[in-house]
Amino acid sequence: MNLDDLTRTSGEWLRGTGSESDIVMCSRIRLARNLATYPFTNRASRGDKAEIEREVRTAIARVDPQLHYLDVHVLNPLDRQFLVERQLISRELMTAEGPRGVAIGPEENVSIMVNEEDHLRLQVMHSGLSLHEVWERINQLDDALEESLDFAFHSQLGYLTACPTNVGTGIRVGVMLHLPALVQSREIEKVFRALHKINLAVRGLYGEGTQAFGDFYQISNQQTLGKSEAETIRTINDIIPQVIEYERRARKELLENRRQNLHDQVSRAYGVLKTAHQISSEETMHLLSSVRMGINLGLIDDLEIPTVNELFIHTQPAHLQKIQGRHLEVDDRNVARAQYLRSRLANGRHQAN
Amino acid sequence: MNLDDLTRTSGEWLRGTGSESDIVMCSRIRLARNLATYPFTNRASRGDKAEIEREVRTAIARVDPQLHYLDVHVLNPLDRQFLVERQLISRELMTAEGPRGVAIGPEENVSIMVNEEDHLRLQVMHSGLSLHEVWERINQLDDALEESLDFAFHSQLGYLTACPTNVGTGIRVGVMLHLPALVQSREIEKVFRALHKINLAVRGLYGEGTQAFGDFYQISNQQTLGKSEAETIRTINDIIPQVIEYERRARKELLENRRQNLHDQVSRAYGVLKTAHQISSEETMHLLSSVRMGINLGLIDDLEIPTVNELFIHTQPAHLQKIQGRHLEVDDRNVARAQYLRSRLANGRHQAN
């Protein structure tokens, strides 16, 4: 797999297809698994890690030859960051030490990290609200791997994991939502409080502790013990339509009561993205968020959602540097980002207004 | 003269032609004159004013049949404001009472206000730095009017005027400069202090006491007594090239040291003007100022200076309302202004970047 080729494509999860895709960017499930015969990664020696990697890698190749394995420890820092930006590896795997890797499936729907916090972190992502589809896929993958790998499993506790918060099912079920109207109407905090009360976590685009850039929020479970996978998925599946409904109502209100302001904001955001000659990642995501909502509300008609989704990722630092083919400091990235945005957005049909 | 027709044209002084027109918007001279046989306007009865108007109007018609006379006292408030925005009448004439008027020449180079602070206020404006041309024209006009009007003149003091600050020559020689780089580099205050020291006044686009919207500044003399017209013109003509030189140097420095920032600022300004759906007059002038400098520095290549000059005037409140053909409150004007800007700027050739 040539990582440079990926700069010209984007994962299926950015396609903007699937159910409720105006608000739901993607659905994602990950499973934490460990091999029974080795210490957890944080206790494993370099030798252990190499053996774990070898075993897992062999199992992955047997399960699905389409899964392409990358030795993350031999990748340069830029390529590692590039994989983080694409949501294919975690920041933790990026900065870890020793033998580790990731197996990536076609269209980037599947990724399996090796020697992250747990020996295996399976991840399946799909565009739109599609948790059942995602679950079927990851469950199949998990079963297939279990045929040749001996996962640490306790008859009462379930799957054992490095961190006690993952013990049990080892599952994290997450849905990434675009909630610009709730942010603008300042109702988002109310939604967060309601979600926290029922033990759900809210995170930004790049996982735990990251800021919710571009008004993207990932809602996921926190509990893995004493609750089946099906129950966990049901909890999330039950709550998401309510959040979607809140966002739709907030958008409707904005359209009804502040249409002119909204149209102005959306149109200016698009205008700045098309004309800036230097722009930070933060401002880019902020403006893209307005533009994304504008397209969904029919206020912009010469741009497609998949393009905007892709721009959120392709304007990240490592992506920009790989697209340009060279190392860039912050200032130069801001210039390159603006240039990239202008060239991508100039192709849109011109708006009649 | 149908004032509505003027909404589709603009005065010659906005054409952006003539010497140093990247920085000098226009040159303007006005002369204050009073009829010897009537009290000054502020002391004149309604009857006096009517007689003054009749006399002056007849003289004007005799001097130049192309000068079109408008009865300002019968115009509606919108039309009066419209004339102020076009620099054809003063705010004072707009809000005065009783018989008063203005004679306007072809291409709006000449205007003669009647019953303003003084009985007559002659004004000639030309695009670019062209004080000699302007002086010749206004001097001719003054002489021609004096053939049939008896101007209040004192052998020692010179022309008598309602306000002592105008006694003597009654002349005000002004040059309107666009100084965005001096504003940005914060050197403008230094220039002002130097000008004040040599008794020159600095005003905004709409005369005394108005803010310098759009980085336009009018530099003019304050002294009318004990100094000939030629000397006054010479003083201004000597100082203007220095101010122009300061502005050019500031622009050069911006280009050399902050080219990227400048290009970004200029390009974003253009982008916002082309895409906003509501915009205030103040923001419009601020952004147009950036765009105007951008064109002159070669950073924007699909827009012409005369268009930008005209937009400064045509986006003013009364112009907008006359263009739309109806009364508009502030919010609606902001929407109409944005719409007008989009339609005017969409016609530009599209920029390659």
Side-chain angles (χ1 to χ4, degrees):
Chain A
M1 176 180 272
N2 185 347
L3 281 188
D4 294 339
D5 292 344
L6 291 185
T7 60
R8 285 186 290 275
T9 65
S10 58
E12 183 278 338
W13 62 276
L14 284 169
R15 301 265 161 90
T17 55
S19 178
E20 317 282 5
S21 61
D22 54 335
I23 291 171
V24 180
M25 178 80 124
C26 63
S27 303
R28 169 179 175 267
I29 298 181
R30 72 109 164 103
L31 298 173
R33 298 290 184 258
N34 289 277
L35 302 189
T37 48
Y38 295 94
F40 288 132
T41 312
N42 59 344
R43 296 285 185 139
S45 67
R46 200 180 168 84
D48 290 334
K49 286 190 198 170
E51 281 184 45
I52 294 164
E53 202 192 15
R54 198 156 39 237
E55 261 195 56
V56 173
R57 194 170 172 167
T58 310
I60 288 172
R62 197 177 310 137
V63 162
D64 186 350
Q66 285 208 76
L67 287 168
H68 190 96
Y69 195 86
L70 290 170
D71 288 298
V72 172
H73 51 292
V74 303
L75 291 180
N76 63 47
L78 186 64
D79 283 340
R80 288 181 209 161
Q81 202 193 328
F82 177 78
L83 293 172
V84 171
E85 290 173 4
R86 287 182 96 82
Q87 313 266 349
L88 292 170
I89 70 170
S90 63
R91 284 185 193 279
E92 183 152 355
L93 192 76
M94 171 177 80
T95 55
E97 302 226 320
R100 62 198 192 280
V102 62
I104 299 167
E107 302 205 288
E108 302 174 36
N109 288 123
V110 174
S111 86
I112 306 171
M113 287 189 282
V114 181
N115 284 331
E116 209 249 21
E117 185 180 284
D118 296 296
H119 296 158
L120 288 97
R121 284 279 177 105
L122 287 62
Q123 170 183 279
V124 172
M125 283 209 291
H126 271 272
S127 175
L129 186 57
S130 52
L131 285 173
H132 288 300
E133 201 183 337
V134 170
W135 167 246
E136 266 180 41
R137 184 86 184 267
I138 203 166
N139 192 33
Q140 218 170 30
L141 187 64
D142 182 41
D143 289 351
L145 286 169
E146 208 159 9
E147 279 175 27
S148 45
L149 295 172
D150 181 16
F151 288 156
F153 188 83
H154 182 276
S155 57
Q156 280 196 292
L157 292 172
Y159 290 101
L160 300 178
T161 56
C163 178
T165 58
N166 292 315
V167 167
T169 53
I171 199 171
R172 176 155 288 152
V173 179
V175 176
M176 181 84 75
L177 299 162
H178 187 224
L179 305 174
L182 285 174
V183 172
Q184 264 191 50
S185 64
R186 292 160 203 269
E187 293 174 74
I188 193 92
E189 286 298 332
K190 221 166 57 190
V191 175
F192 288 175
R193 281 197 299 274
L195 293 170
H196 287 143
K197 268 190 195 156
I198 53 169
N199 256 322
L200 296 182
V202 183
R203 297 183 178 81
L205 189 53
Y206 288 109
E208 247 164 307
T210 65
Q211 224 197 313
F213 274 136
D215 305 321
F216 283 105
Y217 295 91
Q218 181 180 276
I219 295 171
S220 62
N221 66 300
Q222 306 205 77
Q223 198 186 341
T224 52
L225 199 58
K227 212 171 175 181
S228 73
E229 291 89 343
E231 280 175 285
T232 305
I233 292 170
R234 199 179 314 122
T235 306
I236 301 281
N237 247 346
D238 284 350
I239 205 73
I240 295 296
Q242 295 179 45
V243 181
I244 292 173
E245 180 53 30
Y246 280 133
E247 170 68 16
R248 281 205 212 294
R249 210 178 300 162
R251 290 184 185 189
K252 198 161 162 260
E253 263 172 42
L254 281 179
L255 264 186
E256 280 169 7
N257 306 329
R258 302 181 59 242
R259 189 188 177 89
Q260 194 59 49
N261 288 334
L262 188 69
H263 200 172
D264 182 53
Q265 172 207 320
V266 161
S267 186
R268 283 176 182 237
Y270 193 22
V272 170
L273 288 169
K274 283 198 277 194
T275 53
H277 278 250
Q278 54 191 24
I279 191 164
S280 70
S281 175
E282 198 172 341
E283 186 184 3
T284 301
M285 296 188 88
H286 176 69
L287 296 177
L288 284 173
S289 177
S290 283
V291 166
R292 193 182 192 280
M293 177 165 61
I295 297 171
N296 282 323
L297 295 179
L299 302 174
I300 291 177
D301 60 8
D302 66 344
L303 191 63
E304 311 286 337
I305 287 290
T307 305
V308 179
N309 287 352
E310 191 172 278
L311 286 176
F312 276 107
I313 306 302
H314 282 202
T315 55
Q316 298 292 324
H319 270 76
L320 275 181
Q321 292 175 77
K322 285 193 74 73
I323 289 165
Q324 296 272 322
R326 63 200 172 98
H327 172 79
L328 297 170
E329 293 297 335
V330 175
D331 283 356
D332 292 333
R333 285 207 298 271
N334 290 347
V335 172
R337 182 177 293 112
Q339 200 168 29
Y340 180 71
L341 284 164
R342 291 201 309 281
S343 74
R344 288 293 303 265
L345 295 174
N347 297 328
R349 282 166 278 130
H350 282 290
Q351 204 180 349
N353 285 302
Chain B
M1 175 180 274
N2 185 348
L3 280 189
D4 294 339
D5 292 343
L6 291 185
T7 60
R8 285 186 290 276
T9 65
S10 57
E12 183 277 340
W13 60 276
L14 285 169
R15 301 265 161 90
T17 54
S19 178
E20 318 281 4
S21 61
D22 55 335
I23 292 171
V24 180
M25 178 81 124
C26 63
S27 303
R28 169 180 176 266
I29 298 181
R30 72 107 165 106
L31 299 173
R33 297 289 182 259
N34 290 276
L35 302 189
T37 49
Y38 295 94
F40 288 132
T41 312
N42 60 344
R43 297 285 185 139
S45 67
R46 201 181 166 83
D48 290 335
K49 285 190 199 169
E51 281 185 45
I52 293 164
E53 202 193 15
R54 200 157 38 238
E55 262 195 54
V56 173
R57 195 170 170 166
T58 310
I60 288 171
R62 197 177 309 139
V63 162
D64 186 351
Q66 286 207 76
L67 287 167
H68 190 95
Y69 195 85
L70 290 169
D71 287 299
V72 171
H73 51 292
V74 303
L75 291 179
N76 64 47
L78 186 64
D79 283 341
R80 288 182 208 160
Q81 202 192 328
F82 177 78
L83 293 173
V84 171
E85 290 173 2
R86 287 182 97 82
Q87 314 266 349
L88 292 170
I89 70 171
S90 63
R91 285 184 193 279
E92 185 153 355
L93 192 76
M94 171 177 79
T95 55
E97 302 226 321
R100 62 199 193 280
V102 62
I104 300 167
E107 301 204 290
E108 302 173 35
N109 287 124
V110 173
S111 87
I112 306 172
M113 288 189 281
V114 180
N115 285 331
E116 209 249 20
E117 186 180 283
D118 295 296
H119 296 159
L120 288 96
R121 284 280 176 104
L122 286 63
Q123 170 183 277
V124 172
M125 284 208 291
H126 272 271
S127 175
L129 187 58
S130 51
L131 285 174
H132 287 299
E133 201 182 338
V134 169
W135 168 246
E136 266 179 42
R137 184 87 184 266
I138 203 166
N139 192 33
Q140 218 169 31
L141 187 64
D142 182 42
D143 288 349
L145 286 168
E146 208 159 10
E147 281 175 24
S148 45
L149 296 171
D150 180 17
F151 289 156
F153 188 83
H154 183 277
S155 58
Q156 279 195 293
L157 293 171
Y159 289 101
L160 300 177
T161 56
C163 177
T165 57
N166 291 314
V167 168
T169 53
I171 199 170
R172 177 156 288 153
V173 179
V175 176
M176 180 84 76
L177 299 162
H178 187 224
L179 305 175
L182 285 174
V183 172
Q184 264 191 50
S185 63
R186 292 158 203 270
E187 292 173 75
I188 194 92
E189 286 297 333
K190 221 166 55 189
V191 176
F192 289 174
R193 281 198 298 274
L195 293 169
H196 287 143
K197 268 191 197 155
I198 54 168
N199 255 321
L200 296 182
V202 183
R203 296 183 179 80
L205 189 53
Y206 288 109
E208 247 163 307
T210 66
Q211 224 196 314
F213 275 135
D215 305 322
F216 283 104
Y217 295 91
Q218 182 181 274
I219 295 172
S220 62
N221 66 299
Q222 306 205 79
Q223 198 186 342
T224 53
L225 199 58
K227 213 171 176 182
S228 73
E229 291 89 344
E231 279 175 286
T232 305
I233 292 170
R234 199 180 313 124
T235 305
I236 301 281
N237 247 345
D238 284 351
I239 206 74
I240 295 297
Q242 295 179 44
V243 180
I244 292 173
E245 179 53 30
Y246 280 134
E247 170 67 18
R248 281 206 212 294
R249 210 179 299 162
R251 290 183 184 188
K252 196 161 164 259
E253 262 172 43
L254 281 178
L255 264 185
E256 280 170 6
N257 306 328
R258 302 182 59 241
R259 189 189 177 89
Q260 194 59 48
N261 287 333
L262 187 69
H263 200 172
D264 182 53
Q265 172 208 321
V266 161
S267 186
R268 282 175 182 238
Y270 193 22
V272 170
L273 288 169
K274 283 199 278 194
T275 53
H277 278 250
Q278 54 191 25
I279 192 163
S280 70
S281 175
E282 197 172 340
E283 186 184 2
T284 301
M285 295 187 87
H286 176 69
L287 296 177
L288 283 174
S289 177
S290 284
V291 166
R292 192 182 192 280
M293 177 165 62
I295 297 171
N296 283 323
L297 295 179
L299 301 173
I300 291 178
D301 61 9
D302 66 345
L303 191 62
E304 312 287 336
I305 287 290
T307 305
V308 178
N309 288 352
E310 190 173 278
L311 286 175
F312 277 106
I313 306 302
H314 282 202
T315 55
Q316 297 292 324
H319 270 77
L320 275 181
Q321 293 175 79
K322 284 194 74 73
I323 290 166
Q324 296 273 320
R326 62 199 173 97
H327 173 80
L328 296 170
E329 293 297 334
V330 175
D331 283 356
D332 292 333
R333 285 207 298 271
N334 290 346
V335 171
R337 183 177 292 113
Q339 201 168 28
Y340 180 70
L341 283 164
R342 291 202 309 281
S343 74
R344 287 293 304 266
L345 295 174
N347 298 327
R349 282 166 276 130
H350 282 291
Q351 204 181 348
N353 286 299

